[in-house]
Coordinates of all heavy atoms in Angstrom, one line a residue:
M23 N -10.2 16.4 2.4 CA -9.0 16.5 1.6 C -8.5 15.1 1.2 O -8.3 14.3 2.1 CB -7.9 17.3 2.3 CG -6.6 17.1 1.8 SD -5.3 18.0 2.7 CE -5.5 17.7 4.4
S24 N -8.4 14.8 0.0 CA -7.9 13.5 -0.5 C -6.4 13.6 -0.7 O -5.9 14.6 -1.2 CB -8.5 13.1 -1.8 OG -9.9 12.7 -1.6
Y25 N -5.7 12.5 -0.4 CA -4.3 12.4 -0.6 C -4.1 11.8 -2.0 O -4.9 11.0 -2.5 CB -3.7 11.4 0.5 CG -3.5 12.0 1.8 CD1 -4.6 12.5 2.6 CD2 -2.2 12.2 2.3 CE1 -4.4 13.0 3.8 CE2 -2.0 12.8 3.6 CZ -3.1 13.2 4.3 OH -2.9 13.8 5.6
E26 N -3.0 12.2 -2.6 CA -2.5 11.5 -3.8 C -1.9 10.2 -3.5 O -1.1 10.1 -2.5 CB -1.5 12.4 -4.5 CG -0.9 11.8 -5.8 CD 0.2 12.7 -6.3 OE1 0.8 13.5 -5.6 OE2 0.5 12.5 -7.5
V27 N -2.3 9.2 -4.1 CA -1.7 7.8 -3.9 C -0.8 7.5 -5.1 O -1.2 7.5 -6.2 CB -2.8 6.8 -3.7 CG1 -2.1 5.4 -3.6 CG2 -3.7 7.1 -2.5
I28 N 0.5 7.2 -4.8 CA 1.4 6.8 -5.8 C 2.1 5.5 -5.4 O 2.2 5.1 -4.2 CB 2.5 7.8 -6.1 CG1 3.4 8.1 -4.9 CG2 1.9 9.1 -6.6 CD1 4.6 8.9 -5.2
W29 N 2.4 4.7 -6.4 CA 3.1 3.4 -6.2 C 4.6 3.6 -6.6 O 4.8 4.0 -7.8 CB 2.5 2.3 -7.0 CG 1.2 1.8 -6.5 CD1 0.0 2.4 -6.5 CD2 1.1 0.5 -5.8 NE1 -0.9 1.6 -5.9 CE2 -0.3 0.4 -5.5 CE3 1.9 -0.5 -5.5 CZ2 -0.8 -0.7 -4.8 CZ3 1.4 -1.6 -4.9 CH2 0.1 -1.7 -4.5
E30 N 5.5 3.4 -5.7 CA 6.9 3.4 -6.1 C 7.2 2.3 -7.1 O 6.5 1.2 -7.0 CB 7.8 3.3 -4.9 CG 7.7 4.5 -3.9 CD 8.1 5.8 -4.6 OE1 8.9 5.8 -5.5 OE2 7.5 6.9 -4.1
P31 N 8.1 2.4 -8.0 CA 8.4 1.4 -9.0 C 8.6 0.0 -8.4 O 8.1 -1.0 -9.0 CB 9.6 1.9 -9.8 CG 9.5 3.4 -9.6 CD 9.0 3.6 -8.2
E32 N 9.3 -0.1 -7.4 CA 9.6 -1.5 -6.8 C 8.3 -2.1 -6.3 O 8.1 -3.3 -6.5 CB 10.6 -1.4 -5.7 CG 10.9 -2.7 -5.1 CD 11.9 -2.6 -3.9 OE1 12.8 -1.7 -3.9 OE2 11.9 -3.5 -3.0
A33 N 7.5 -1.4 -5.6 CA 6.2 -1.9 -5.1 C 5.3 -2.3 -6.3 O 4.6 -3.3 -6.2 CB 5.5 -0.9 -4.2
L34 N 5.3 -1.5 -7.3 CA 4.4 -1.8 -8.5 C 4.9 -3.1 -9.2 O 4.1 -3.9 -9.6 CB 4.4 -0.6 -9.4 CG 3.4 -0.7 -10.5 CD1 2.0 -0.9 -10.0 CD2 3.5 0.6 -11.4
A35 N 6.2 -3.3 -9.2 CA 6.8 -4.5 -9.8 C 6.4 -5.7 -9.0 O 6.1 -6.8 -9.5 CB 8.3 -4.4 -10.0
Q36 N 6.4 -5.5 -7.7 CA 6.0 -6.7 -6.8 C 4.6 -7.0 -7.0 O 4.2 -8.2 -7.1 CB 6.2 -6.3 -5.3 CG 7.7 -6.2 -5.0 CD 7.9 -5.4 -3.7 OE1 7.2 -4.5 -3.3 NE2 9.0 -5.7 -3.0
A37 N 3.7 -6.0 -7.2 CA 2.3 -6.2 -7.5 C 2.1 -7.0 -8.8 O 1.3 -7.9 -8.9 CB 1.5 -4.9 -7.5
E38 N 2.9 -6.6 -9.8 CA 2.7 -7.3 -11.1 C 3.1 -8.7 -11.0 O 2.5 -9.6 -11.6 CB 3.6 -6.6 -12.1 CG 3.1 -5.2 -12.5 CD 4.0 -4.4 -13.4 OE1 5.2 -4.9 -13.7 OE2 3.6 -3.3 -13.8
R39 N 4.2 -9.0 -10.2 CA 4.6 -10.4 -10.0 C 3.5 -11.2 -9.3 O 3.2 -12.4 -9.7 CB 5.9 -10.5 -9.3 CG 7.2 -10.2 -10.1 CD 8.5 -10.6 -9.4 NE 8.6 -9.9 -8.1 CZ 9.2 -8.7 -7.9 NH1 9.6 -8.0 -8.9 NH2 9.3 -8.3 -6.7
F40 N 3.0 -10.7 -8.2 CA 2.0 -11.4 -7.5 C 0.7 -11.6 -8.3 O 0.0 -12.6 -8.1 CB 1.7 -10.7 -6.2 CG 2.8 -10.7 -5.2 CD1 3.0 -9.6 -4.4 CD2 3.6 -11.8 -5.0 CE1 4.1 -9.5 -3.5 CE2 4.6 -11.8 -4.0 CZ 4.9 -10.7 -3.3
A41 N 0.4 -10.6 -9.2 CA -0.9 -10.7 -9.9 C -0.9 -11.9 -10.9 O -1.9 -12.3 -11.3 CB -1.0 -9.4 -10.7
K42 N 0.3 -12.4 -11.3 CA 0.3 -13.5 -12.2 C -0.3 -14.7 -11.5 O -0.9 -15.6 -12.2 CB 1.8 -13.8 -12.6 CG 2.3 -12.7 -13.5 CD 3.8 -13.0 -13.8 CE 4.4 -11.8 -14.7 NZ 5.8 -12.0 -14.9
E43 N -0.1 -14.9 -10.2 CA -0.6 -16.0 -9.5 C -1.9 -15.8 -8.8 O -2.7 -16.7 -8.6 CB 0.4 -16.5 -8.4 CG 1.7 -17.0 -8.9 CD 2.7 -17.3 -7.7 OE1 2.2 -17.4 -6.6 OE2 3.9 -17.4 -8.0
D44 N -2.2 -14.5 -8.4 CA -3.3 -14.2 -7.6 C -3.9 -12.8 -8.0 O -3.9 -11.9 -7.3 CB -2.9 -14.1 -6.1 CG -4.0 -13.9 -5.2 OD1 -5.2 -14.0 -5.6 OD2 -3.8 -13.6 -4.0
P45 N -4.5 -12.8 -9.2 CA -5.0 -11.5 -9.7 C -6.1 -10.9 -8.8 O -6.2 -9.7 -8.6 CB -5.6 -11.8 -11.1 CG -5.6 -13.3 -11.2 CD -4.7 -13.9 -10.2
A46 N -7.0 -11.8 -8.2 CA -8.1 -11.3 -7.4 C -7.5 -10.7 -6.1 O -8.0 -9.7 -5.6 CB -9.1 -12.4 -7.1
G47 N -6.5 -11.3 -5.5 CA -5.9 -10.8 -4.3 C -5.2 -9.5 -4.5 O -5.4 -8.5 -3.7
V48 N -4.6 -9.3 -5.6 CA -3.9 -8.1 -5.9 C -4.9 -7.0 -6.2 O -4.7 -5.8 -5.9 CB -2.9 -8.2 -7.1 CG1 -2.3 -6.9 -7.5 CG2 -1.8 -9.2 -6.6
R49 N -6.1 -7.3 -6.9 CA -7.1 -6.3 -7.0 C -7.6 -5.8 -5.7 O -7.9 -4.6 -5.5 CB -8.3 -6.9 -7.8 CG -8.1 -6.9 -9.3 CD -9.4 -7.1 -10.1 NE -10.0 -8.5 -9.8 CZ -9.6 -9.6 -10.5 NH1 -8.7 -9.5 -11.4 NH2 -10.2 -10.7 -10.2
Q50 N -7.7 -6.7 -4.7 CA -8.1 -6.3 -3.4 C -7.1 -5.3 -2.8 O -7.5 -4.4 -2.1 CB -8.3 -7.5 -2.4 CG -9.5 -8.4 -2.7 CD -9.6 -9.6 -1.8 OE1 -8.5 -10.1 -1.4 NE2 -10.8 -9.9 -1.5
V51 N -5.9 -5.6 -3.0 CA -4.8 -4.7 -2.5 C -5.0 -3.3 -3.2 O -4.9 -2.3 -2.5 CB -3.4 -5.3 -2.8 CG1 -2.3 -4.2 -2.6 CG2 -3.1 -6.5 -2.0
F52 N -5.2 -3.3 -4.5 CA -5.3 -2.0 -5.1 C -6.5 -1.2 -4.6 O -6.5 0.0 -4.4 CB -5.3 -2.1 -6.7 CG -4.0 -2.2 -7.3 CD1 -3.3 -3.4 -7.4 CD2 -3.4 -1.0 -7.7 CE1 -2.1 -3.5 -8.0 CE2 -2.1 -1.1 -8.3 CZ -1.4 -2.3 -8.4
T53 N -7.6 -1.9 -4.4 CA -8.8 -1.3 -3.8 C -8.6 -0.7 -2.5 O -8.9 0.4 -2.2 CB -10.0 -2.3 -3.8 OG1 -10.3 -2.8 -5.1 CG2 -11.2 -1.7 -3.2
A54 N -7.9 -1.5 -1.6 CA -7.6 -1.0 -0.3 C -6.6 0.2 -0.3 O -6.8 1.2 0.4 CB -6.9 -2.1 0.6
V55 N -5.6 0.1 -1.2 CA -4.7 1.3 -1.3 C -5.4 2.5 -1.8 O -5.2 3.6 -1.4 CB -3.5 0.9 -2.2 CG1 -2.7 2.1 -2.6 CG2 -2.6 -0.2 -1.5
D56 N -6.3 2.3 -2.8 CA -7.1 3.5 -3.2 C -7.9 4.2 -2.1 O -8.0 5.4 -2.1 CB -8.1 3.1 -4.3 CG -7.4 2.8 -5.7 OD1 -6.2 3.1 -5.8 OD2 -8.0 2.2 -6.5
R57 N -8.4 3.4 -1.2 CA -9.1 4.0 0.0 C -8.2 4.8 0.9 O -8.7 5.6 1.7 CB -9.8 2.8 0.8 CG -11.0 2.3 0.1 CD -11.8 1.4 1.0 NE -11.1 0.3 1.5 CZ -11.2 -1.0 1.1 NH1 -12.1 -1.2 0.1 NH2 -10.6 -1.9 1.6
L58 N -6.9 4.6 0.8 CA -5.9 5.4 1.6 C -6.0 6.8 1.2 O -5.6 7.7 2.0 CB -4.5 4.8 1.5 CG -4.3 3.4 2.1 CD1 -2.9 3.0 1.8 CD2 -4.6 3.4 3.6
A59 N -6.4 7.1 0.1 CA -6.5 8.5 -0.4 C -7.4 9.3 0.6 O -7.2 10.5 0.9 CB -7.0 8.6 -1.8
D60 N -8.5 8.7 1.0 CA -9.4 9.4 1.9 C -9.2 9.1 3.4 O -9.5 9.9 4.2 CB -10.9 8.9 1.6 CG -11.3 9.4 0.2 OD1 -11.0 10.5 -0.2 OD2 -12.0 8.6 -0.5
E61 N -8.5 8.0 3.7 CA -8.2 7.7 5.1 C -6.8 7.0 5.2 O -6.7 5.8 5.2 CB -9.3 6.7 5.6 CG -9.1 6.3 7.1 CD -9.1 7.5 8.0 OE1 -10.0 8.3 8.0 OE2 -8.1 7.6 8.8
P62 N -5.8 7.9 5.2 CA -4.4 7.3 5.1 C -4.0 6.6 6.4 O -3.0 5.8 6.4 CB -3.5 8.5 4.9 CG -4.3 9.7 5.4 CD -5.8 9.3 5.2
R63 N -4.7 6.8 7.5 CA -4.4 6.1 8.8 C -5.6 5.3 9.3 O -6.2 5.7 10.3 CB -3.9 7.1 9.8 CG -2.6 7.8 9.4 CD -2.3 8.9 10.4 NE -1.0 9.5 10.1 CZ -0.9 10.6 9.2 NH1 -1.9 11.1 8.7 NH2 0.3 11.1 9.0
P64 N -6.0 4.3 8.5 CA -7.2 3.5 8.9 C -7.0 2.7 10.2 O -5.9 2.4 10.6 CB -7.5 2.6 7.7 CG -6.1 2.4 7.2 CD -5.3 3.7 7.4
N65 N -8.1 2.3 10.8 CA -8.0 1.4 11.9 C -7.3 0.1 11.5 O -7.6 -0.3 10.4 CB -9.4 1.1 12.5 CG -10.0 2.2 13.2 OD1 -9.3 3.1 13.8 ND2 -11.3 2.3 13.3
G66 N -6.5 -0.4 12.3 CA -5.7 -1.6 11.9 C -4.4 -1.4 11.3 O -3.6 -2.3 11.2
A67 N -4.1 -0.1 10.8 CA -2.8 0.2 10.3 C -1.9 0.4 11.5 O -2.2 0.8 12.6 CB -2.8 1.5 9.5
F68 N -0.6 -0.1 11.3 CA 0.3 0.1 12.4 C 1.7 0.6 11.9 O 2.0 0.4 10.7 CB 0.5 -1.2 13.2 CG 0.8 -2.4 12.4 CD1 2.2 -2.8 12.4 CD2 -0.1 -3.1 11.8 CE1 2.5 -3.9 11.7 CE2 0.2 -4.3 11.0 CZ 1.5 -4.7 11.0
G69 N 2.4 1.2 12.7 CA 3.7 1.7 12.4 C 3.9 3.0 13.1 O 3.3 3.3 14.1
S70 N 4.7 3.9 12.4 CA 4.9 5.3 13.0 C 3.9 6.2 12.3 O 3.0 5.8 11.6 CB 6.4 5.7 12.7 OG 6.5 5.9 11.3
D71 N 4.1 7.5 12.6 CA 3.2 8.5 12.1 C 3.4 8.6 10.6 O 2.4 9.0 9.8 CB 3.4 9.9 12.7 CG 2.9 10.0 14.1 OD1 2.0 9.2 14.4 OD2 3.3 10.9 14.8
E72 N 4.6 8.3 10.1 CA 4.9 8.6 8.6 C 5.0 7.3 7.8 O 4.8 7.3 6.6 CB 6.1 9.4 8.5 CG 6.0 10.8 9.1 CD 7.3 11.6 9.1 OE1 8.3 11.0 8.7 OE2 7.2 12.7 9.5
V73 N 5.3 6.2 8.4 CA 5.5 4.9 7.7 C 4.5 3.9 8.4 O 4.7 3.6 9.6 CB 6.9 4.4 7.7 CG1 7.0 3.0 7.0 CG2 7.9 5.4 7.1
L74 N 3.6 3.4 7.6 CA 2.6 2.5 8.1 C 2.5 1.2 7.3 O 3.0 1.2 6.2 CB 1.2 3.2 8.1 CG 1.0 4.4 9.1 CD1 -0.2 5.2 8.8 CD2 0.9 3.8 10.5
R75 N 1.8 0.3 7.9 CA 1.6 -1.0 7.2 C 0.2 -1.4 7.4 O -0.4 -1.3 8.5 CB 2.5 -2.1 7.8 CG 2.5 -3.4 7.0 CD 3.4 -4.4 7.5 NE 4.5 -3.9 8.4 CZ 5.4 -4.7 8.9 NH1 5.4 -6.0 8.7 NH2 6.3 -4.1 9.6
I76 N -0.5 -1.9 6.3 CA -1.8 -2.5 6.4 C -1.7 -3.9 5.9 O -0.8 -4.2 5.1 CB -2.9 -1.7 5.7 CG1 -2.5 -1.6 4.2 CG2 -3.1 -0.4 6.4 CD1 -3.7 -1.0 3.4
H77 N -2.6 -4.8 6.3 CA -2.7 -6.1 5.8 C -4.0 -6.2 5.0 O -5.0 -5.7 5.4 CB -2.7 -7.2 6.9 CG -1.4 -7.4 7.5 ND1 -1.2 -8.3 8.5 CD2 -0.2 -6.8 7.3 CE1 0.1 -8.2 8.9 NE2 0.7 -7.3 8.2
V78 N -3.9 -6.8 3.8 CA -5.0 -7.0 2.9 C -5.0 -8.4 2.5 O -4.2 -8.8 1.7 CB -5.0 -6.1 1.7 CG1 -6.2 -6.3 0.8 CG2 -4.8 -4.6 2.1
G79 N -5.9 -9.2 3.1 CA -5.8 -10.7 2.8 C -4.5 -11.2 3.2 O -4.0 -11.0 4.3
R80 N -3.8 -11.9 2.2 CA -2.5 -12.4 2.5 C -1.3 -11.5 2.2 O -0.2 -11.9 2.2 CB -2.3 -13.8 1.8 CG -2.4 -13.7 0.3 CD -2.4 -15.0 -0.4 NE -1.2 -15.7 -0.3 CZ -0.8 -16.6 -1.2 NH1 -1.6 -17.0 -2.1 NH2 0.4 -17.1 -1.1
Y81 N -1.6 -10.2 1.9 CA -0.6 -9.3 1.5 C -0.4 -8.2 2.6 O -1.3 -7.9 3.4 CB -1.0 -8.6 0.2 CG -1.1 -9.5 -0.9 CD1 -2.3 -10.1 -1.3 CD2 0.1 -9.9 -1.6 CE1 -2.3 -11.0 -2.3 CE2 0.0 -10.8 -2.6 CZ -1.2 -11.4 -3.0 OH -1.2 -12.3 -4.0
R82 N 0.8 -7.7 2.7 CA 1.0 -6.5 3.5 C 1.5 -5.4 2.7 O 2.4 -5.6 1.8 CB 2.0 -6.9 4.6 CG 3.4 -7.2 4.1 CD 4.3 -7.7 5.3 NE 5.6 -8.1 4.8 CZ 5.9 -9.3 4.2 NH1 4.9 -10.2 4.2 NH2 7.1 -9.6 3.8
V83 N 1.0 -4.2 2.9 CA 1.4 -3.0 2.2 C 2.1 -2.0 3.1 O 1.5 -1.7 4.1 CB 0.1 -2.4 1.6 CG1 0.5 -1.1 0.8 CG2 -0.7 -3.3 0.7
M84 N 3.3 -1.6 2.7 CA 4.0 -0.6 3.5 C 4.0 0.7 2.7 O 4.2 0.7 1.5 CB 5.4 -1.1 3.8 CG 6.2 -0.1 4.7 SD 7.9 -0.7 5.1 CE 7.5 -2.2 6.0
Y85 N 3.7 1.8 3.4 CA 3.5 3.0 2.7 C 4.0 4.2 3.6 O 4.0 4.1 4.8 CB 2.1 3.2 2.2 CG 1.0 3.3 3.3 CD1 0.5 4.5 3.8 CD2 0.5 2.1 3.8 CE1 -0.4 4.5 4.7 CE2 -0.5 2.1 4.7 CZ -1.0 3.3 5.2 OH -1.9 3.3 6.2
E86 N 4.4 5.3 3.0 CA 4.8 6.5 3.6 C 3.7 7.5 3.4 O 3.1 7.6 2.4 CB 6.1 7.0 3.1 CG 7.3 6.1 3.3 CD 8.5 6.7 2.7 OE1 8.4 7.3 1.6 OE2 9.6 6.4 3.2
I87 N 3.5 8.4 4.5 CA 2.5 9.4 4.4 C 3.3 10.8 4.5 O 4.1 10.9 5.4 CB 1.5 9.4 5.5 CG1 0.7 8.1 5.4 CG2 0.5 10.6 5.4 CD1 -0.2 7.8 6.6
S88 N 3.0 11.7 3.6 CA 3.5 13.0 3.6 C 2.3 13.9 3.8 O 1.6 14.2 2.8 CB 4.3 13.4 2.4 OG 4.7 14.8 2.5
D89 N 2.0 14.4 5.0 CA 0.9 15.3 5.2 C 1.2 16.7 4.5 O 0.3 17.3 4.0 CB 0.7 15.5 6.7 CG 0.1 14.3 7.4 OD1 -0.8 13.7 6.8 OD2 0.6 14.0 8.5
R90 N 2.4 17.1 4.5 CA 2.8 18.3 3.9 C 2.5 18.3 2.4 O 2.0 19.3 1.8 CB 4.3 18.6 4.1 CG 4.7 20.0 3.7 CD 6.2 20.3 4.0 NE 6.9 20.0 2.8 CZ 7.7 18.9 2.6 NH1 7.9 18.0 3.5 NH2 8.3 18.8 1.4
R91 N 2.8 17.2 1.7 CA 2.6 17.1 0.3 C 1.3 16.4 -0.1 O 0.9 16.3 -1.2 CB 3.7 16.2 -0.4 CG 5.1 16.9 -0.2 CD 6.2 16.1 -0.8 NE 6.1 16.2 -2.2 CZ 6.9 15.4 -3.0 NH1 7.7 14.6 -2.5 NH2 6.8 15.5 -4.3
V92 N 0.5 16.0 1.0 CA -0.8 15.3 0.8 C -0.6 14.2 -0.1 O -1.3 14.0 -1.2 CB -1.9 16.3 0.4 CG1 -3.2 15.7 0.5 CG2 -1.8 17.6 1.1
R93 N 0.3 13.3 0.3 CA 0.6 12.1 -0.6 C 0.8 10.9 0.3 O 1.4 10.9 1.3 CB 1.9 12.4 -1.3 CG 2.4 11.2 -2.2 CD 3.7 11.5 -2.9 NE 3.4 12.5 -3.9 CZ 4.4 13.1 -4.7 NH1 5.6 12.8 -4.4 NH2 4.1 13.9 -5.6
V94 N 0.4 9.8 -0.3 CA 0.6 8.4 0.2 C 1.5 7.7 -0.8 O 1.1 7.6 -2.0 CB -0.7 7.6 0.5 CG1 -0.4 6.2 0.8 CG2 -1.5 8.3 1.6
S95 N 2.6 7.2 -0.4 CA 3.5 6.5 -1.3 C 3.7 5.0 -0.9 O 4.2 4.8 0.2 CB 4.9 7.1 -1.4 OG 4.9 8.5 -1.7
V96 N 3.2 4.1 -1.8 CA 3.3 2.7 -1.5 C 4.8 2.3 -1.8 O 5.2 2.5 -2.9 CB 2.4 1.9 -2.3 CG1 2.6 0.4 -2.1 CG2 0.9 2.3 -2.0
I97 N 5.5 1.8 -0.8 CA 6.9 1.6 -0.9 C 7.2 0.1 -1.0 O 8.3 -0.3 -1.4 CB 7.8 2.3 0.1 CG1 7.3 1.9 1.5 CG2 7.7 3.8 -0.1 CD1 8.2 2.5 2.6
H98 N 6.3 -0.8 -0.5 CA 6.6 -2.2 -0.5 C 5.3 -3.0 -0.5 O 4.3 -2.6 0.2 CB 7.4 -2.6 0.8 CG 7.7 -4.0 0.8 ND1 8.7 -4.6 0.1 CD2 7.2 -5.0 1.6 CE1 8.7 -5.9 0.4 NE2 7.8 -6.2 1.3
L99 N 5.3 -4.1 -1.2 CA 4.1 -5.0 -1.2 C 4.7 -6.4 -1.0 O 5.6 -6.8 -1.7 CB 3.4 -5.0 -2.5 CG 2.2 -6.0 -2.6 CD1 1.1 -5.7 -1.5 CD2 1.6 -6.0 -4.0
G100 N 4.3 -7.1 0.1 CA 4.8 -8.4 0.4 C 3.7 -9.3 0.6 O 2.5 -8.9 0.8
R101 N 4.0 -10.6 0.6 CA 2.9 -11.6 0.7 C 3.2 -12.4 2.0 O 4.4 -12.9 2.2 CB 2.9 -12.5 -0.5 CG 1.8 -13.5 -0.4 CD 1.5 -14.2 -1.8 NE 2.7 -14.6 -2.5 CZ 2.7 -15.0 -3.7 NH1 1.6 -14.9 -4.4 NH2 3.8 -15.4 -4.3
L102 N 2.2 -12.6 2.8 CA 2.3 -13.5 4.0 C 2.3 -14.9 3.6 O 1.6 -15.3 2.6 CB 1.2 -13.2 5.0 CG 1.1 -11.7 5.4 CD1 -0.2 -11.5 6.2 CD2 2.3 -11.3 6.2
R103 N 3.0 -15.7 4.3 CA 3.0 -17.2 3.9 C 1.8 -17.9 4.4 O 1.1 -17.6 5.2 CB 4.3 -17.8 4.5 CG 5.5 -17.1 4.0 CD 6.6 -18.0 3.6 NE 7.7 -17.3 3.2 CZ 8.0 -17.1 1.9 NH1 7.3 -17.6 1.0 NH2 9.1 -16.5 1.6

């Protein structure tokens, strides 16, 4: 069963800002987030059962999982220094 992956507007706006400086890095983030559709709780993800974080290169992605709605919602994208 695949999960629907959605980007909340704030997280998408953050991705657009980062893409101006680092388009390749942001493409990696989108690829990793797309994989969450098949594996929403991958090895290396940490957090609670419903709110998790993954690191992709120099970025961290925070997302919520709704098993009931079969949805992954990206709520924050940040960049590590």
Side-chain angles (χ1 to χ4, degrees):
M23 160 179 50
S24 287
Y25 282 64
E26 175 186 22
V27 176
I28 62 168
W29 283 76
E30 295 297 334
E32 181 181 331
L34 193 55
Q36 291 162 332
E38 289 173 356
R39 283 193 303 273
F40 292 141
K42 291 176 184 175
E43 294 177 19
D44 185 14
V48 173
R49 274 194 300 275
Q50 288 178 325
V51 169
F52 274 89
T53 298
V55 167
D56 287 345
R57 286 193 299 259
L58 295 175
D60 294 321
E61 182 58 52
R63 294 175 179 89
N65 287 335
F68 57 97
S70 68
D71 286 340
E72 296 173 359
V73 178
L74 292 166
R75 186 179 341 183
I76 58 171
H77 288 183
V78 181
R80 62 190 284 204
Y81 297 94
R82 65 184 176 280
V83 180
M84 186 177 296
Y85 60 98
E86 295 177 328
I87 300 171
S88 174
D89 291 316
R90 190 180 95 252
R91 296 178 75 188
V92 193
R93 177 181 287 174
V94 172
S95 301
V96 178
I97 56 176
H98 180 78
L99 177 64
R101 185 165 47 193
L102 303 171
R103 303 225 181 257

